[in-house]
Amino acid sequence: MADVPADHASPVIRPGVITLARHGEPALSRKVRLNAPEYGLWWARYEEGGLKDGQVPPPSLVELAKNADVIIASTRRRSIETARAVVGERAFATDPTFIEAPLPPPPWPTWIRMSPKRLGFFARFWWWFFDNHGGQETRKAAEARAGQAADLLIELSASGQNVLVLAHGFFNWMIADALKKRGLTKLLDQGHGYWSIKRFDRA
């Protein structure tokens, strides 16, 4: 078989960039003090709620979305409203694979009361280290889901498409960890604040 001339060789396709963005600030107030059972009810309302009014996404995130070939939100309302704020009338996909990892309340006596932010920290600690899942998704199951999400994003970006996910803080971190384990390189990490992003590509 004759050699293919160099100028007719198939071009090498560089994988696209994967961006994980956290949603904007939710409407549900954190200026309350709750015990563990009350926190469970508060978190259920948080999961159902949308964004606080009057927010504007960072211009850098809006610009990044313009250059994204694939845009995905989770099926939670706060994620969908974030995507709409960022992309305007442009179409985007929704996928339950990207919903937040659960936050069952810690098994504490009811006399312990604190803010949702602090209770959320301890709820995550008990879920992560002591498998306190309360019948919800376990850490092991969430890690498997994060791996599935990472594999999907890698597959979507393999053909050179830039992929943007508009989802949730802790589960985005879990996906980021799965991407790193699969050999991707972190380009940017803005932490865990609202509207923050993490970016990865294949080195």
Side-chain angles (χ1 to χ4, degrees), residues 41-54:
L41 297 173
W42 183 93
W43 176 256
R45 293 196 301 274
Y46 182 93
E47 283 284 77
E48 295 175 355
L51 296 185
K52 186 176 180 180
D53 290 338

Side-chain angles (χ1 to χ4, degrees), residues 19 59-68 90 163-164 197 199:
T19 302
S60 57
L61 180 55
V62 174
E63 190 62 30
L64 189 153
K66 291 178 181 178
N67 296 318
R90 183 178 173 186
V163 183
L164 171 62
I197 65 172
R199 306 198 77 197

Side-chain angles (χ1 to χ4, degrees), residues 17-193:
V17 176
I18 297 170
T19 302
L20 308 172
R22 189 185 180 196
H23 57 74
E25 183 179 357
L28 187 61
S29 174
R30 293 175 181 262
K31 296 179 180 179
V32 292
R33 292 179 67 82
L34 308 168
N35 60 30
E38 291 169 345
Y39 176 76
L41 297 173
W42 183 93
W43 176 256
R45 293 196 301 274
Y46 182 93
E47 283 284 77
E48 295 175 355
L51 296 185
K52 186 176 180 180
D53 290 338
Q55 293 183 76
V56 178
S60 57
L61 180 55
V62 174
E63 190 62 30
L64 189 153
K66 291 178 181 178
N67 296 318
D69 302 292
V70 179
I71 299 172
I72 306 172
S74 89
T75 51
R76 296 293 189 240
R77 179 180 166 188
R78 62 190 185 279
S79 177
I80 293 171
E81 290 184 1
T82 296
R84 183 57 61 213
V86 170
V87 308
E89 295 304 313
R90 183 178 173 186
F92 58 89
T94 58
D95 190 333
T97 304
F98 296 92
I99 65 172
E100 182 62 289
L103 270 177
W108 286 358
T110 56
W111 58 265
I112 299 177
R113 308 182 72 87
M114 57 183 66
S115 69
K117 182 176 182 179
R118 292 192 67 191
L119 266 168
F121 170 82
F122 289 111
R124 183 65 70 207
F125 183 89
W126 252 258
W127 178 80
W128 186 265
F129 291 104
F130 299 110
D131 198 31
N132 178 60
H133 56 81
Q136 301 180 54
E137 186 179 41
T138 64
R139 171 186 169 181
K140 182 177 181 181
E143 287 177 326
R145 179 163 62 91
Q148 293 168 1
D151 290 338
L152 172 61
L153 298 177
I154 291 170
E155 180 182 355
L156 289 170
S157 66
S159 61
Q161 298 184 111
N162 293 321
V163 183
L164 171 62
V165 175
L166 297 149
H168 306 274
F170 192 81
F171 196 67
N172 277 0
W173 176 84
M174 294 183 71
I175 297 172
D177 186 60
L179 290 172
K180 288 187 290 183
K181 289 177 178 177
R182 286 157 172 76
L184 274 70
T185 300
K186 184 186 292 184
L187 303 175
L188 176 66
D189 189 343
Q190 294 182 336
H192 303 288

